[in-house]
Amino acid sequence: MRVRLDHTHPDGARRRTPPVLYAIPLGILLTITLIHLDAPANVHLGPFLIAAPAITASFASARGTAVIGVLSVISLIVIGILHGGLTTANHQAQLAALIIISALVTSFRYATDRHRRRLRQVRSVAVAAQEVLLRPIPDRVGPLRIASVYISAEEEAQIGGDLYAAVRVEDATRLIIGDVRGKGLPAVGDAAVLIGAFQGSAYRKLPLPGLGTHLGRAVRWNWQHAPGRGEDALESFVTAVVLDVHDDRHIIDMINCGHPPPLLLHRGELWPVGGADPAPPLGVGEPSDGDFKVETLSFEDNDFLVLYTDGFIEARNAEGTFYPLAERLASRDWGSPEELVHALHDDLLRYAGGKVNDDAAVVAIARCPAASA
């Protein structure tokens, strides 16, 4: 399961205008017309009719705005006929001004609608591309239950430089979580290269040290050959944790490449794992298998392993205090990975005031008892 943060309602989304809203401009037209008919001849309320199409443009489409604009012009004509001033210069000037302004308001509404349609198309393509890059991890993989959450720091983006993925290898589920240095499109591109190298290596059945070497060389090759990276490529790196959760043995094999250590929840106790002897981040130097030390830890039924990026532990509240991830995890018993990631998602946003300054990702893994797997 994957949860995403939507910061705002997409402006490009197709929305129906509630019919009741049209009562506002129609009420304005009717009220001004009736008042004007009983007003003295030297009182001119016709210019106020432009309020109807102007207000309509704030919630309706260009077509709806045009309809109210036409009704405004008809109302002014009715006023002129019944008030005996249709052919006067003043009334004709009001009529011309109302027609011009209504046409302008309708044109602006049409331009806005067209822009939103284009924006909606661009966003749909971007969402499709992002979903291909950061595929949701299945809820169940072998004997595991897995859930994940990704919170992007960019309001209009769904992913950034944080990444995670899972693949099946022989008798195990292999997972990665990582954090690319930097933000924006270059970070997204780097994350795409790393995920592609990780997923594409599954058939090769590489041991974890060999996989670390493969990933490190893949990101270095990308930086060296990516156009326009320049000096930025020399300062780039990716922190990551890669692990194999075995199906039939209650153990996890893990390598840590400069990433925050995962947290293991076992029978109500919580402690960090996999950070005793980390390798350098991916992309730093020329990697070899000897750089990556495999750590093995016990992973029993109903244990939880929580992988995360530094966006979770570096988020601050209004007082500047870091988010206490370990404290939150140890504060209660969790029924499922889904419950855990939902709670962390909502709690982090409350803590940070609704917006994070850095991408944040977390993956929760639990081993199911054999009877329910």
Side-chain angles (χ1 to χ4, degrees), residues 168-223:
R168 286 291 295 170
V169 294
E170 187 176 9
D171 299 326
T173 299
R174 176 166 287 178
L175 298 101
I176 185 173
I177 188 167
D179 185 357
V180 178
R181 177 189 176 275
K183 297 181 180 180
L185 290 178
V188 174
D190 294 341
V193 169
L194 186 59
I195 290 178
F198 173 77
Q199 294 174 333
S201 67
Y203 77 96
R204 298 176 61 187
K205 301 179 182 179
L206 294 173
L208 287 179
L211 177 61
T213 301
H214 172 70
L215 297 179
R217 291 176 178 174
V219 296
R220 281 186 62 82
W221 185 93
N222 174 62
W223 292 332

Side-chain angles (χ1 to χ4, degrees), residues 53 56-57 60-72 102-103 105-106 109:
T56 305
S61 65
R63 179 180 298 178
T65 303
V67 169
I68 297 299
V70 170
L71 292 177
S72 300
S102 295
V105 170
T106 301
R109 180 70 254 184

Side-chain angles (χ1 to χ4, degrees), residues 98-149:
L98 181 59
I99 292 173
I100 293 173
I101 297 176
S102 295
L104 288 174
V105 170
T106 301
S107 299
F108 291 148
R109 180 70 254 184
Y110 175 78
T112 300
D113 289 346
R114 184 172 63 177
H115 172 73
R116 288 182 173 179
R117 285 194 297 270
R118 290 178 177 175
L119 183 60
R120 183 169 62 248
Q121 292 172 350
V122 171
R123 283 176 174 167
S124 66
V125 173
V127 168
Q130 291 172 340
E131 290 288 359
V132 169
L133 172 59
L134 197 64
R135 300 175 185 173
I137 298 176
D139 296 353
R140 292 274 185 140
V141 183
L144 307 178
R145 293 183 63 182
I146 306 175
S148 59
V149 59

Side-chain angles (χ1 to χ4, degrees), residues 1-5 134-139 145-151 163-166 175-177 306-307 312 337-342 344-345 360-365:
M1 186 196 103
R2 178 182 168 202
V3 180
R4 284 200 307 260
L5 168 64
L134 197 64
R135 300 175 185 173
I137 298 176
D139 296 353
R145 293 183 63 182
I146 306 175
S148 59
V149 59
Y150 194 110
I151 304 177
L163 60 102
Y164 51 74
L175 298 101
I176 185 173
I177 188 167
V306 181
L307 315 174
F312 257 91
E338 292 85 356
E339 177 189 351
L340 188 152
V341 300
H342 271 299
L344 288 183
H345 172 272
V362 66
V363 178
I365 308 164

